[in-house]
Structures are given as structure tokens and as C-alpha cells.
Amino acid sequence: MNTKLKYITPAKSFTEALPLGNGSLGAMVYGGVPEEHITLNHDTFWSGTGRRPEKEIDAKILGHARELLFEEKFWEAEQFIKEHMLGFYNESYMPLGELNYRFEEIGEIEQYSRNLDLENAIFSSEFCSKNTLYQTEVFISYPAKALILRMKVSGSEKLNLSVNLNSKVRHDMRAEVSQDLYIFGNAPSNVQPNYLTCDHPITYDEQNPGMAFGCYLHIENTGGEVTALKEELKVKNADEVLFYLTAEDGYRGYKKRIERDPEVCIAQCRKSLEILKNRDYESLKQEHIIDYKSVYKDVRLELEKEESDMPLDQRLAEFRNGKQDLGLLCLFFHYNRYLMVASSRKGSQPANLQGIWNESIRPVWSSNWTVNINTEMNYWMNGSCNLLDSYLPFVEFVSELSDAGKETARKQYHCSGWTANHNVDIWRQTGPVAGEPKYAYWPMGGIWLCAQSYEYFKYSKDIEYLKTKIFPAMKGAVEFCLDWLQLREDGKYYTAPSTSPENTFADKEGRACGVSYMTTSDLAIIKEMFLNYAEAVKVLEVKDDLTNKIEEYQKRLPEYQISKTGKIQEWIQDFDEIDTGHRHFSPVFGFHPGHSIKKTDTELVEACKKFIEEKVKNYSQQIGWSCAWLINLWARLGDGTKANYYYEELLRESVYDNLFDLHPPLGETDGEREVFQIDGNFGSASAVAEMLLESEEGKITILPAVPESWKTGSIKGLLAVGNIRVDLSWKDGKPERISLFSENSQNVEIVYKGKRIGGFVELKKEEQQILDLCSMVIQ
């Protein structure tokens, strides 16, 4: 079934450790012997002291930048923007703490194993020593809001442990009575990004401290005793021990004052623990499993029957050496869905660049939300992969940004509505960060976020969320678009300044420039916004004065343009690229993840394909998230062979032994290093769903890009637009059976290889419909 990660050695590093999480509290479990190391995170624990004042940009400054651009003085405009129109860096996502314990009085270790059970979200490990079996289970419960660990022994030996808590953040530690230990402190007031060289990158301001935090551990023992020393707990001669760990921080919302008193956090931890002390381990475990499965759901990909007993690191090594392993492809899909549930639950923050798992006090790229692709890619899979509950933090995030971004729109862009740029932190910073305009100056962030937020409605059909959260944010984004677009003498509307995320072109003097006007990605994102808004207005049956303006502006937007080489053009002019293998596929946004370029637009689709082919031909390095986008693109193009090739390539080149996706250093700034970045995990899961199922309102296309090597298989529990659950099996590359279950009554057509199978299928509310496709499929 390929739903377990198995190893026969402890983890030696973060990228070998195994992740647990309930959306808010995260842990990386190493399974170490004799010393165990579990690192801890809390989703709202960030550096900083609150939302900083919005920078104001005079309208004359913006006007001058536009004049330079329309005069095609691109390099001069970029230098001007860098000097006058950028802001300050984000704050950083912090590591919370570490739970450490040491096995004492044990001998030689034998028969070691550690596992992560994806179906139940439980880590387990065991080993033998001195004729005694040591067994450990760890999970993080969403209902209990706590990490629960049970350790027991079977044999002649007893449990003897030294236990402590620690943190990379400045903190104090205390033991309370004989069985409790806690740490507390305050986050840094400011942390500069890892790529910025400065004298004091981490600042603790006693006059203006960062948010408080607390982490509290309680131990229950069966047999033996637990005693408290100054900075650790000692377990002596126990048969079984239970660890209950809770954590709190002082974040209260982006518009609210942070809590700076650690005692308040510790009091909340104690309160949570008092409830847990009256619960036995098995009841907590069963409650956790039931809750987890209600969100993870029974979604399963099967491409081969046999389960491999080979340890995953060895299995990966053989795969990297060319051995085929269809089961590993399934395991990776299941694991990536697991990571989403573990890092994004109702009430939590959305998954950031590293989900919720970070051990560095200066994480790469601040472990923030990068919204020029990465944050949106995190949630591409949530609709089709049936993870709607885990989608909600993203929708709430966009709703909050739509409020925070009003000030940015007004003070920096002189527009109504709202906007967000390329980097966002816990304080909902929406203005451009410092650095380079090619990435920092990008007011399309809020508009792209709205497009992804609207995808939640398309799959869920949740009218209440559309009405109260999604549509108001969309309306503000449309208002910004209409004000931001500039009417020129040719009668067309253009954005200016405009960048194509992080890419550069050569101006007439051969200088690298990142700023022009109306890049293709700007055009595509705005087109998507207008299409979605018009659809939402009809769904909600609202009278809206923006609709007529949108229709007028749509008529005056430039057309997509095709370059002299036949590919879709990235900029308003057919510039020469500096980096022809650049990692971003932004110009083909309209084809994927957007929908403004339809498959029937054959000339544009061919231009998109040409763009993709040229980009890949000139790839300078493999980057996980970029490869994941590429897999999605080939799947949407209907080329299962190439989609699968890059899916396997990502597994061979861009994952660590714990299947975390990796991002190599780009060589563009100081302090870069290879790092885990979770968007490649999530993006690849989206691509698997895209290979097997495409959907739009009233239409489901099956096996649009099934790879030839996936000759026979099944997928269970995918979701189609309209909240239709789909189970599908195929044999010898042809569909065999489909099961449909809809939350609402509706009609849908099933399409295979461009032709409809039978007539419209009538789906009745909450009734399963099963179709035998063998006799129905057109041969």
C-alpha cells in the first residue's frame, strides 16, 4: 500500500528525521539512540514585534518610474525603483525548542527500526538491548493540541532516562515538582534574512521584546520514579513512560498586540496539560487517529500490489541508480498529502516555505510565505487531492492580507483595493521588501493569491466562504487592478512598473534589467482575476458596478504575444533573456495554473509548449519546485511520458532521504545554502492528480496524461470541481471503472481522449454512482 516510511538506522540530520504536526505544533523526530533529539516548531512563532508602519511612496516618484519605463529606459527605471521604492525585509519563522532524552544503562543496540505511518500520522521506533525490547510511539494530536510520546520496555531491563528541553531562542528553563519541566522566553525583536551580511543579524530588544513563548513537558511513569533536577528530569527503573508536551506563543493576530509575558504562555500550557493528565494513552491515540483520518481521508494511489520492505534510504539509492519502483512513486504522493495535513489545519497558519518545520534561527529566505509562486503552489493540490479542510488556512490568510494590503495599495501604489508583493510574514507585510526590484517589486501577489483562493470554492462549493472571505478579497484585488492599469496612447491598458518574477532581460546596451511594463505573467494573472470575478458575481447573484468596467478593460488588454522563435513572449517586447533556463515558468501562467489559455487555443498552447521546451533545454540546475511546476505543465499538455519522466527526476535529484524536497543554492546572494523547501512536495502531488484527472464545471476528463509505465492502477478519493469524489481504475492504459459521489445533485459528462463516454451522468445528492467503463470506452 506504500503508506509507511521505514528505516533501520536513526536519523543523523534534519533531512533524515521524520516530521509530525497538527497544523500548529510541528516536530522532527530523529529516533536517536542512545540520545534522542526532537526539534519543535509552532506555526505563529516568529521574530518581530508587530506590523511595521507602511512606507509611503509619493505619486510623483511612481509617475517618474513609469515615465522612464514608457521611454524604454529600463535600466534607469530599475535603479530608480531600487533606490526609492523598495521597503524592508520580512521577519523570520523561528524554531521553538528541542525535546532531548538519553537512554542510560543500555548496551549494544540491535534490530533497530523507525517508521512513519502515513495513514495514522504516528512515528514509531524500536530496538533491542540486553534482551530487552524498547518501543516508542510519538504523535501530535490536533484535538489535544499536544505532542504525545509513549515509551515502554519488554524484557529484563527498565527505562532509565535523562530528559531536558532546550531552544536556540534565548530562554530560561525550570523544573516544576518532580515530573514537569518547561522553558520560556521571548522571540528576537528582529532577525535579518540569512542572505544579508550585517553586524547584528539577531536582535533582542529589552525595551521592545518579541512575542513570548512557552514549552511545557509533563511525564507520567508506570513503575520506577521520576525526579526533577535543576535543568532535567530523571526517569529511573520505569516500565513505561508517557510524555505530554504543549507549547504556546504570544501571537494573537496580525492586528492585535502580541503577548510579551512568558508566564501567560506557560499558564496556558499548564491548563492544556491538566486536561491531558486525566486521559489514558490509548484514548488519546484513538482520538488522534479518528481526527486525522477525517482530514487525510482515504485517498490512495496504487500502481503495483507489492509492498517493499526495503528501508527507504536504500530504496531511494536504488531508484537513483536506475531501478524502477512504481511503489515509491505512490509513497511519495501519499507522503506529500500527509505533509499538507501535518502543516495546515483549520485554525492554523498556512504552510510556509518549509511547512512548519524549521531548525534555524536564520532560516533560508526567512522561511516566509513567498507569493510569486511558492505559497500558491503549496495549495495547488488541495482541491484535486481532497484536502479541503487543510485549504482553509490559506483562504483565511488571503482574507487577512486583503485587509492589510489596503494600506500598501493606497500609500505605495496610489490605488484603491489591496495588493501584496512577493514576500509576506506573520505580520502580514504586503509592501515590497528590500533587495532587488526583479523580485521585490511585484504587486501581482495579491491577485495571484485570490486566484488560488477561488479554487477552494470551485472544488468545495462552499457558498458561505465565497461570500464572506473569498469574494471580498477578489473585489479588492479587482479594484486594485483597474486603478493600477495605465491607458496608453495606443488605447491599451498596461501595468507599470512590471516584473516577470525574478527573471531579467538585456536592454539595448546589454545590461541586465528586471523591470519593464506589462509582462506576460501580469497579463495572465489579471485575465484570470477578471474571469474568476465575473463567474463569482454570477454565482452569488450580486449586482456589481465593477462588472461593466471589467468588460471594458478586458477589451483593451494587450493580446498574448509570440516571440520570433515561436514561444510565448515573456515581456512586452521580444527581449533577449539573460538566463534562458530561468527557474520560473511565469509566462505560461495562463495555461497553468491559470485557465485563460484553453487547450482549444492551439496556437497559444503550442507557444506555451515551445516556451517550456526552450526553458528545459537551457536548465542550469534542478530545483524541486520548478520541476514540480514542469510536471504539472506536461500533465496539462497531455504528455504523460514527460510528466512521469520529471516526476521520477524530482525523486532522483531533488529529495532528501526523508523525502523532503530540496532547493539548491542559486548563487545570487551571500549566505545561500541547500535547503528543504516544501513547495516541490506539494506541487508534485498536484501533478499526479493532474495526470489522472482533469475537471471543470460539469466535466471530468479521465486519464488525460496517464504515463505508459503506469499501465495498470487505481486512484481512490480524488476530488473533481463541484465537490465530486472520484475513484478510478484502469488496465492496460484504458479506463476500467469509475465511481462518483457528489455532495449535491448535478449532471456531469465523462470525457476520455477528447470524446464523451455515454451521455450526461446524473448524480444525486450523496449517492454513489458506479460506471463500468470497459464496454463504454470508445476503442
Side-chain angles (χ1 to χ4, degrees), residues 64-290:
H64 181 62
R66 281 176 170 154
E67 287 174 7
L68 290 172
L69 290 168
F70 290 141
E71 291 171 3
E72 299 189 2
K73 297 178 180 178
F74 302 115
W75 190 85
E76 291 82 0
E78 183 160 353
Q79 305 316 303
F80 182 81
I81 292 167
K82 184 175 181 178
E83 183 176 353
H84 298 287
M85 298 170 68
L86 300 186
F88 45 80
Y89 291 108
N90 283 164
E91 291 294 345
S92 296
Y93 180 53
M94 293 287 95
L96 181 81
E98 301 165 3
L99 168 60
N100 305 303
Y101 56 85
R102 178 181 177 83
F103 293 94
E104 299 180 339
E105 302 177 20
I106 61 171
E108 184 179 349
I109 307 302
E110 299 177 328
Q111 300 174 32
Y112 177 91
S113 68
R114 61 186 172 101
N115 303 275
L116 178 60
D117 178 357
L118 304 179
E119 291 192 301
N120 295 308
I122 295 175
F123 170 94
S124 62
S125 65
E126 64 179 42
F127 63 90
C128 290
S129 180
K130 295 182 179 179
N131 298 314
T132 300
L133 176 64
Y134 290 74
Q135 294 176 299
T136 301
E137 284 189 340
V138 192
F139 61 88
I140 300 182
S141 168
Y142 179 80
K145 296 179 173 60
L147 180 148
I148 314 294
L149 182 152
R150 181 181 69 176
M151 191 184 307
K152 62 182 181 178
V153 290
S154 302
S156 58
E157 298 298 306
K158 301 294 184 180
L159 285 169
N160 293 283
L161 305 167
S162 297
V163 186
N164 69 74
L165 294 173
N166 204 348
S167 178
K168 292 180 179 178
V169 175
R170 189 181 294 177
H171 68 282
D172 290 310
M173 182 185 303
R174 290 180 190 168
E176 190 168 87
V177 298
S178 64
Q179 295 174 292
D180 292 11
L181 185 69
Y182 62 92
I183 56 173
F184 59 95
N186 292 82
S189 304
N190 175 253
V191 173
Q192 291 295 308
N194 70 293
Y195 48 82
L196 188 69
T197 302
C198 55
D199 292 334
H200 303 287
I202 303 169
T203 304
Y204 290 92
D205 185 343
E206 302 298 334
Q207 302 302 314
N208 189 25
M211 70 173 76
F213 79 97
C215 183
Y216 202 107
L217 174 67
H218 172 74
I219 296 181
E220 296 276 1
N221 58 297
T222 301
E225 63 178 358
V226 181
T227 57
L229 302 180
K230 184 179 179 180
E231 293 186 343
E232 66 178 4
L233 301 178
K234 288 282 190 178
V235 178
K236 289 288 188 181
N237 298 320
D239 298 304
E240 179 177 307
V241 293
L242 296 179
F243 290 13
Y244 302 94
L245 183 142
T246 60
E248 292 288 337
D249 64 48
Y251 184 74
R252 299 293 180 259
Y254 89 94
K255 294 184 77 172
K256 298 179 181 178
R257 290 180 180 271
I258 57 173
E259 177 57 64
R260 290 186 164 93
D261 184 357
E263 287 297 333
V264 173
C265 296
I266 291 298
Q268 184 58 52
C269 289
R270 285 196 193 99
K271 183 178 179 181
S272 299
L273 280 171
E274 284 302 317
I275 299 171
L276 295 178
K277 289 177 183 179
N278 298 320
R279 303 280 304 279
D280 65 274
Y281 176 78
E282 287 301 330
S283 69
L284 286 167
K285 179 179 175 180
Q286 289 307 310
E287 177 187 64
H288 157 72
I289 291 172
I290 291 169

Side-chain angles (χ1 to χ4, degrees), residues 496-517:
S498 176
T499 57
S500 190
E502 304 181 28
N503 205 358
T504 56
F505 60 90
D507 71 357
K508 293 176 182 178
E509 283 72 39
R511 296 171 294 190
C513 299
V515 185
S516 63
Y517 59 94

